[in-house]
Amino acid sequence: MSNDLHTGFDETKYPYINKGLEGIVAFSTTKSSIDGQSGELIYEGYNIDELAENSTFEEVCFLLWNDRLPSQEELDALQEKLQTRRELPQVIIDYLHSVNKKSNPMAVLRSAVSMLSESDIDLPDDSFYEKAINITAKMPTIIAAFSRIRSGEKMVAPLSEGSTAYNFLYMLNGERPGEQAEKTLDLCLILHAEHGMNASTFTCRAICATMSDMYSAVTGAIGSLKGPLHGGANTAVMNTLLELAEQGENADAVAFTKDKLKKKEKIMGFGHRVYKVFDPRAYHLQKMAKKLSEETGQERMYKWSMDMLNTMKSEKNIDPNVDFFSATVYYSMGIQPDLFTCIFAMSRISGWTGHFIEQAKNNRLVRPRALYVGEKNKPYVSISER
Ligand code: SDX
């Protein structure tokens, strides 16, 4: 039998290949715990529902970087550092003005964050906490600036006051956001901050484990999050809903969903490698999506979402994940769909850097094996005889 993987290699003969590392425990961590059967998510000992109710994104950043909640003084100090480090170096502003306006925002973010490393050139390599703050402070500015520049608008400089959520909406829209909009985005940032060994965090830790730098690890993580099977799903969810909207006000979301399933298409925003029940984050996002869609006259969008949700449950017994309702929330806030994954990234930077700090404290090179399925000892044939 040919060993060629592409001509019917029978992987079941090698059950020890866990495709996609499914079920493999490769690290120990205190950053978060995910129970896929009960739908429980815990950050550093605190249930996500408690944090959603009582915390802020900045407090969650401190928690993920220090393994504990801050005192008021410590939180104020972190806030002050984040507020005073939002400005971008000129080299990045020049890049944002020169890059192709049609570029994918996640590709622009990935390149800009990679360029950020030179702004920390005088920091000792192991200043992980300060670098985490610097990158977390600047990512929202990069995203908002590119969004405005590509639309022909002037960049809006960050304020030296206010939360990450407040400043992002201010820099994006050019006007100070209302309290509700700030609270909504802050809650989204809390919900997206950390999620165990997801693909982008694994990427970050694998790069950290070679003793490479935090900017390389975060650049790799952004590249991983960009994919539609991971963070890119929220933009894909919005594109699906907009595709449905093209069928008019009375579009049939149930038939639309069934048709896609019949064509063996993956419905973005549904399913999860770990959660086999409703993603606990989706509960909070669903509430926000319902409220915002009513306030902005987008009830149709929410109704279609519920029709899709019920169809996926009845047809495939598959539940929504974090990306499904976040799409409607961001859309109702007037944010452009191709920026949704960037918002995921400007939150998950806290989890990525938290894992980086944890990995660096107890490091071991990440290097799994691969089963060779090719031929062996083939005789070399000179090119004239091929
Ligand atoms: C995130 O890991 C994390 O924690 C990620 C994340 C985080 O916070 O970091 O939670 C964020 O990335 C959420 C996931 C966003 N991605 C999507 O919404 C893309 C759509 N979802 C699927 O591609 C899928 O559910 C994955 C990739 C998320 C998980 O897939 P698995 O674990 O590899 O499962 P699978 O693809 O093998 O599917 C198992 C079965 C298959 O059916 P059969 O072929 O066995 O009949 O379920 C079906 C799949 O076809 N299935 C779906 C589906 N998801 C799974 N069918 C239709 N639509 C879907 N969305």
Side-chain angles (χ1 to χ4, degrees):
M1 179 190 80
S2 158
N3 274 331
D4 182 341
L5 191 61
H6 305 292
T7 54
F9 172 76
D10 180 1
E11 285 179 347
T12 57
K13 291 224 180 315
Y14 298 88
Y16 54 85
I17 296 182
N18 290 62
K19 275 192 87 175
L21 296 182
E22 182 153 10
I24 296 292
V25 179
F27 303 91
S28 62
T29 182
T30 65
K31 298 302 126 193
S32 64
S33 161
I34 304 167
D35 182 325
Q37 302 311 320
S38 67
E40 177 191 67
L41 172 57
I42 287 172
Y43 292 176
E44 295 279 5
Y46 299 94
N47 188 291
I48 193 64
D49 297 334
E50 292 263 3
L51 293 170
E53 189 65 32
N54 304 299
S55 191
T56 64
F57 174 61
E58 286 77 12
E59 188 173 68
V60 165
C61 287
F62 185 99
L63 174 65
L64 292 169
W65 293 335
N66 297 279
D67 307 345
R68 63 178 174 82
L69 288 172
S71 64
Q72 187 60 58
E73 194 185 348
E74 288 169 325
L75 183 58
D76 293 346
L78 174 59
Q79 276 279 28
E80 203 264 336
K81 284 186 175 181
L82 287 167
Q83 286 164 350
T84 54
R85 302 184 189 180
R86 290 191 177 120
E87 298 272 354
L88 298 179
Q90 191 57 44
V91 65
I92 291 183
I93 295 173
D94 295 344
Y95 164 68
L96 294 174
H97 277 100
S98 58
V99 70
N100 188 319
K101 306 280 177 280
K102 289 186 287 202
S103 302
N104 179 306
M106 278 293 276
V108 173
L109 179 64
R110 182 196 63 217
S111 303
V113 165
S114 182
M115 291 167 74
L116 265 182
S117 57
E118 71 165 58
S119 60
D120 278 342
I121 203 120
D122 298 327
L123 271 181
D125 285 349
D126 62 356
S127 313
F128 302 141
Y129 189 69
E130 293 305 319
K131 290 179 184 224
I133 294 171
N134 293 348
I135 304 171
T136 304
K138 289 176 167 60
M139 278 175 76
T141 315
I142 292 167
I143 298 160
F146 176 64
S147 173
R148 292 183 66 85
I149 291 167
R150 71 172 178 178
S151 315
E153 297 170 298
K154 279 197 171 316
M155 250 183 88
V156 172
L159 301 165
S160 53
E161 63 184 276
S163 67
T164 300
Y166 187 91
N167 247 278
F168 176 70
L169 291 170
Y170 169 70
M171 292 186 286
L172 187 70
N173 302 319
E175 58 190 31
R176 288 175 180 268
E179 190 188 341
Q180 193 50 51
E182 178 191 12
K183 277 179 72 70
T184 299
L185 183 60
D186 186 63
L187 176 50
C188 290
L189 297 179
I190 292 172
L191 294 171
H192 285 82
E194 158 60 16
H195 210 244
M197 210 35 65
N198 56 84
S200 53
T201 298
F202 177 82
T203 304
C204 175
R205 283 192 84 135
I207 294 172
C208 171
T210 70
M211 293 181 70
S212 184
D213 65 294
M214 186 177 273
Y215 289 90
S216 299
V218 170
T219 302
I222 294 171
S224 171
L225 187 74
K226 180 171 178 285
L229 291 190
H230 189 12
N234 54 18
T235 296
V237 168
M238 200 62 236
N239 293 337
T240 303
L241 288 168
L242 292 172
E243 182 191 342
L244 182 59
E246 282 167 11
Q247 295 179 11
E249 295 248 315
N250 303 317
D252 181 344
V254 175
F256 175 82
T257 306
K258 285 182 176 173
D259 181 50
K260 284 188 174 292
L261 291 175
K262 207 154 51 191
K263 290 189 274 187
K264 293 282 180 210
E265 288 181 33
K266 289 267 172 65
I267 313 292
M268 296 291 127
F270 287 93
H272 199 274
R273 176 61 59 81
V274 180
Y275 289 126
K276 297 312 168 195
V277 291
F278 215 97
D279 186 324
R281 301 166 294 180
Y283 278 120
H284 296 281
L285 290 157
Q286 180 182 358
K287 272 193 296 188
M288 282 190 265
K290 183 172 193 314
K291 185 166 177 291
L292 275 169
S293 59
E294 286 159 2
E295 288 167 2
T296 55
Q298 310 252 12
E299 291 91 338
R300 201 165 33 105
M301 208 61 92
Y302 181 75
K303 180 190 174 309
W304 287 339
S305 298
M306 290 310 294
D307 287 345
M308 290 179 73
L309 184 151
N310 294 326
T311 306
M312 286 299 284
K313 192 67 184 168
S314 58
E315 296 293 315
K316 303 271 292 189
N317 191 27
I318 291 179
D319 290 292
N321 57 48
V322 68
D323 290 304
F324 186 61
F325 286 111
S326 58
T328 315
V329 169
Y330 297 147
Y331 189 75
S332 304
M333 293 178 77
I335 297 172
Q336 292 166 311
D338 68 353
L339 296 179
F340 292 2
T341 312
C342 290
I343 296 176
F344 194 147
M346 73 184 227
S347 163
R348 188 55 58 88
I349 181 64
S350 56
W352 291 333
T353 46
H355 278 273
F356 187 102
I357 292 168
E358 184 178 63
Q359 178 73 26
K361 280 182 194 151
N362 177 18
N363 187 41
R364 182 155 170 70
L365 181 70
V366 175
R367 203 275 185 222
R369 297 292 301 276
L371 174 73
Y372 177 68
V373 294
E375 295 178 59
K376 290 186 176 177
N377 308 320
K378 292 163 74 172
Y380 186 82
V381 178
S382 67
I383 195 160
S384 60
E385 290 167 40
R386 290 176 210 157

